[in-house]
Amino acid sequence: METKRSTFNNRLLPYLLLAPQLIITLVFFIWPAGQAIKSSFEREDPFGMSTVFVGLTHYKRLFLDPNYLQSLMTTAVFAVSVTVISMGLGLLFAVAVDRLARSAKVYTTLLVWPYAVAPVIAGILWFFLFNNTTGILPYYLASLGIRWDHTLNPTHAMILLIIAAAWKQISYNFLFFLAGLQSVPQSLMEAAAIDGSGPIKRFFTISLPLLSPTTFFLFIINVNYTMFDTFSIVDATTQGGPAQSTNILVYKVYQDGYLGLNLGSSAAQSVVLMLIVVVLTVIQFRFVERRVQY
């Protein structure tokens, strides 16, 4: 099969077409990342009047700080929980909708709605639902003997944060899993059904292996989401409390840099966070991708 190649009579035209994206990447990613790396090796006074080069001092202090190590552990628990719950429920809903002969479009529309909600709105929504004085969910939990109070109980605060972050991401995962399921060849499913395979066996032996590229892609996207895009959810629900129990890394960068005016430490934390995401992505591509069946 022959493929058509685009040709440009003007040599500058390809560069002009790429220029907007390159400028956005340079201004909003490369330049801030470079400034963060530079600031992580400096100590600056809160008013920005003087700067002193301090080498690796900020990094050494970070890994000797018990609060930062606790934040690392909190981030790991939060990232794993949100990724597993959002991808698991997204796949479950996609399988349910894929089997619907009628009303599939209605259910798809309803399930996609949360993706259109801004993260901060999602956080405020779940904050009110779990509010221990006016929320409806603590009322029902009280009838089960559970006294809900996420302002004092660290476990309750983490559960609230995980539910709010996972709920926001389920729609995104659902859309990709549904598209993947609908691209599975029906001839394979029909052949397996003729051979006597039931729906569950067909799902685990045919659908799920063919979904592995989609699952791999969503795994990377979800890990990045938990690391960077959940700041507004934390700020709207728990603000890192109680007792720093929900203070994940991206929120600690904000607390130490913007509120605490410790710019050098905050810059070092942002560099460490960026390196963690880069290492996780490389590991995923290096080892997990081998199991993906394209």
Side-chain angles (χ1 to χ4, degrees):
M1 181 177 176
E2 295 183 0
T3 58
K4 294 183 179 179
R5 295 187 60 183
S6 299
T7 57
F8 298 93
N9 296 326
N10 190 334
R11 290 185 177 181
L12 293 178
L13 183 58
Y15 300 101
L16 289 176
L17 295 175
L18 287 174
Q21 183 60 48
L22 292 176
I23 292 172
I24 291 174
T25 303
L26 181 66
V27 172
F28 292 102
F29 180 74
I30 303 297
W31 183 73
Q35 286 294 315
I37 294 172
K38 175 177 174 292
S39 299
S40 68
F41 295 104
E42 297 174 342
R43 179 184 295 128
E44 186 174 358
D45 68 274
F47 302 101
M49 302 298 291
S50 62
T51 301
V52 179
F53 181 78
V54 295
L56 296 173
T57 303
H58 294 306
Y59 293 97
K60 292 177 182 176
R61 288 181 177 175
L62 274 185
F63 291 103
L64 294 175
D65 182 3
N67 290 330
Y68 185 74
L69 298 179
Q70 177 62 36
S71 183
L72 272 175
M73 184 61 66
T74 301
T75 304
V77 173
F78 173 73
V80 171
S81 302
V82 172
T83 301
V84 170
I85 292 173
S86 63
M87 288 185 65
L89 290 179
L91 178 59
L92 180 64
F93 292 148
V95 171
V97 171
D98 187 52
R99 294 180 61 84
L100 282 175
R102 297 179 180 178
S103 306
K105 292 184 178 178
V106 175
Y107 282 109
T108 302
T109 303
L110 293 175
L111 288 169
V112 167
W113 275 358
Y115 186 61
V117 177
V120 65
I121 302 299
I124 292 173
L125 170 69
W126 286 101
F127 174 80
F128 280 111
L129 285 174
F130 276 102
N131 189 286
N132 57 350
T133 56
T134 60
I136 190 171
L137 295 179
Y139 172 78
Y140 289 111
L141 290 173
S143 63
L144 299 175
I146 301 174
R147 187 178 179 183
W148 180 271
D149 191 352
H150 63 265
T151 60
L152 296 177
N153 190 315
T155 303
H156 291 177
M158 179 56 79
I159 291 173
L160 166 61
L161 192 60
I162 290 171
I163 290 176
W167 178 81
K168 179 69 181 68
Q169 193 67 2
I170 286 173
S171 301
Y172 186 87
N173 298 331
F174 161 77
L175 280 176
F176 279 87
F177 277 131
L178 181 61
L181 285 171
Q182 291 183 342
S183 65
V184 174
Q186 286 302 310
S187 57
L188 290 177
M189 305 298 284
E190 291 170 358
I194 292 173
D195 289 341
S197 298
I200 296 177
K201 187 175 182 180
R202 291 201 298 271
F203 172 76
F204 283 103
T205 56
I206 298 176
S207 300
L208 195 57
L210 291 177
L211 280 177
S212 55
T214 305
T215 306
F216 176 66
F217 165 77
L218 290 176
F219 184 56
I220 295 174
I221 294 297
N222 278 267
V223 169
N224 282 277
Y225 163 74
T226 57
M227 292 289 180
F228 292 111
D229 291 345
T230 49
F231 167 83
S232 52
I233 294 177
V234 178
D235 194 53
T237 53
T238 64
Q239 297 182 339
Q244 308 295 314
S245 60
T246 57
N247 199 11
I248 60 175
L249 290 177
V250 68
Y251 198 75
K252 187 169 173 55
V253 170
Y254 160 76
Q255 278 193 329
D256 290 352
Y258 188 78
L259 300 180
L261 296 179
N262 191 349
L263 301 180
S265 177
S266 176
Q269 291 177 44
S270 65
V271 172
V272 172
L273 178 60
M274 182 172 61
L275 290 175
I276 290 173
V277 174
V278 169
V279 170
L280 286 176
T281 305
V282 170
I283 291 174
Q284 290 163 5
F285 273 100
R286 182 72 175 79
F287 299 102
V288 180
E289 193 185 20
R290 292 179 177 178
R291 300 177 182 274
V292 175
Q293 302 179 20
Y294 292 101

